[in-house]
Amino acid sequence: MFTPIKNTKVYEQVIEQIKNMINKGILKKGDKLPSERELVEKLHVSRTSIREALRSLEIIGLIESRQGEGNFVRSSFENSLFEPLSIMFMLQKSNPLEILELRKIVEKETAALAATRICEDELEYLGELIDKFRSCDKEDELVRIDREFHYKIAQASKNFLILSILNAISSLMESFIKDARKNILIDDKNKEILLIQHENIYMSLCNKNPQQALEAMNAHLELINKYMEK
């Protein structure tokens, strides 16, 4: 299962062996990794190298450490990109507008893809979210509904990588663009505009029209970005 390691950069080779085991299906989502002592014995390396490798895998979101239980391959990866992306964002001293630009690029094509893959149950749920948005008058709840609307469209794309990236982008927005979604909802007129735009996106998905979905999402994000840039 494991191969003894004798070369330099030991912890990186430990990482590679664990990643290869996941790639080959030997380790699966939710599986518990061998204990540090077992890994030391199997790989013939120091406990320091093992701990360094495990910590690196935890940082990149591949494994999770549970107090008193051990280390496990993560069961869910939807939010695993946020930490490395946020660290990169801070280290590069990036402009928050870059988050908005990335969101626009990704979400337009996501909407187009969702239009070809969305199922009736998902359409029904999106319709219910629009009804809730229409009848709601609380800013915090409107923000939650808007976030879920976009999340469900990403889910409908049936592309896990897209969903993970958009989750990370959404989390970056909440962290680095304070009250990002609230800014536009302060004005009651904007709620009506957003409602119409959500309806346009929804109808394009109902029509299973990728180009229409892309254009409707683009119009929506143009307005949102305009307010967030202020």
Side-chain angles (χ1 to χ4, degrees), residues 80-95:
S80 60
L81 290 178
F82 170 64
E83 186 171 352
L85 275 181
S86 63
I87 292 171
M88 287 166 51
F89 184 86
M90 290 184 288
L91 289 176
Q92 292 292 330
K93 295 181 170 52
S94 298
N95 187 323

Side-chain angles (χ1 to χ4, degrees), residues 104 107-109 111-112 197 200-201 204 209-223:
K104 184 178 178 183
E107 276 208 74
K108 288 193 301 180
E109 294 297 336
Q197 291 182 336
N200 289 340
I201 295 169
S204 69
N209 187 321
Q211 186 60 34
Q212 185 182 7
L214 186 150
E215 292 172 0
M217 182 63 77
N218 182 61
H220 176 55
L221 293 175
E222 284 279 359
L223 177 67

Side-chain angles (χ1 to χ4, degrees), residues 59-62 74 76-84 160 164:
I59 289 173
I60 65 175
L62 190 59
R74 289 181 65 94
S76 172
F77 293 89
E78 288 185 4
N79 298 309
S80 60
L81 290 178
F82 170 64
E83 186 171 352
F160 172 76
S164 298

Side-chain angles (χ1 to χ4, degrees), residues 30-211:
D31 282 355
K32 183 178 180 179
L33 271 65
S35 68
E36 289 183 7
R37 179 179 295 179
E38 288 178 282
L39 289 172
V40 168
E41 293 174 353
K42 291 176 184 294
L43 297 174
H44 299 179
V45 298
S46 69
R47 179 162 288 194
T48 299
S49 296
I50 295 297
R51 287 178 176 172
E52 193 170 0
L54 293 175
R55 178 57 184 152
S56 297
L57 289 169
E58 188 175 7
I59 289 173
I60 65 175
L62 190 59
I63 69 171
E64 58 182 347
S65 178
R66 301 177 192 168
Q67 187 67 33
E69 296 184 54
N71 297 293
F72 295 79
V73 180
R74 289 181 65 94
S75 298
S76 172
F77 293 89
E78 288 185 4
N79 298 309
S80 60
L81 290 178
F82 170 64
E83 186 171 352
L85 275 181
S86 63
I87 292 171
M88 287 166 51
F89 184 86
M90 290 184 288
L91 289 176
Q92 292 292 330
K93 295 181 170 52
S94 298
N95 187 323
L97 295 183
E98 293 178 22
I99 301 172
L100 302 179
E101 291 170 351
L102 177 59
R103 182 191 181 198
K104 184 178 178 183
I105 290 168
V106 175
E107 276 208 74
K108 288 193 301 180
E109 294 297 336
T110 299
L113 192 58
T116 68
R117 298 179 176 179
I118 197 164
C119 65
E120 291 305 314
D121 287 346
E122 290 168 328
L123 285 171
E124 183 178 347
Y125 191 84
L126 286 175
E128 291 172 0
L129 287 177
I130 290 176
D131 289 339
K132 290 179 181 178
F133 193 94
R134 184 183 294 109
S135 60
C136 182
D137 57 5
K138 296 179 181 178
E139 288 177 10
D140 287 340
E141 182 63 10
L142 287 169
V143 167
R144 187 198 67 77
I145 294 169
D146 178 72
R147 187 188 298 116
E148 188 170 3
F149 183 81
H150 288 268
Y151 176 81
K152 289 299 179 181
I153 292 173
Q155 270 192 327
S157 74
K158 309 297 190 294
N159 186 310
F160 172 76
L161 289 176
I162 287 175
L163 184 60
S164 298
I165 290 169
L166 286 178
N167 273 340
I169 294 171
S170 181
S171 297
L172 284 173
M173 284 174 56
E174 300 303 323
S175 298
F176 297 103
I177 308 177
K178 300 300 181 184
D179 296 322
R181 290 178 169 91
K182 273 189 179 180
N183 289 343
I184 192 172
L185 290 167
I186 293 173
D187 189 337
D188 288 339
K189 292 180 181 178
N190 288 333
K191 180 192 171 184
E192 293 302 317
I193 296 173
L194 287 177
L195 176 60
I196 293 170
Q197 291 182 336
H198 283 158
E199 289 174 337
N200 289 340
I201 295 169
Y202 173 67
M203 289 308 301
S204 69
L205 296 174
C206 288
N207 295 334
K208 307 294 178 70
N209 187 321
Q211 186 60 34

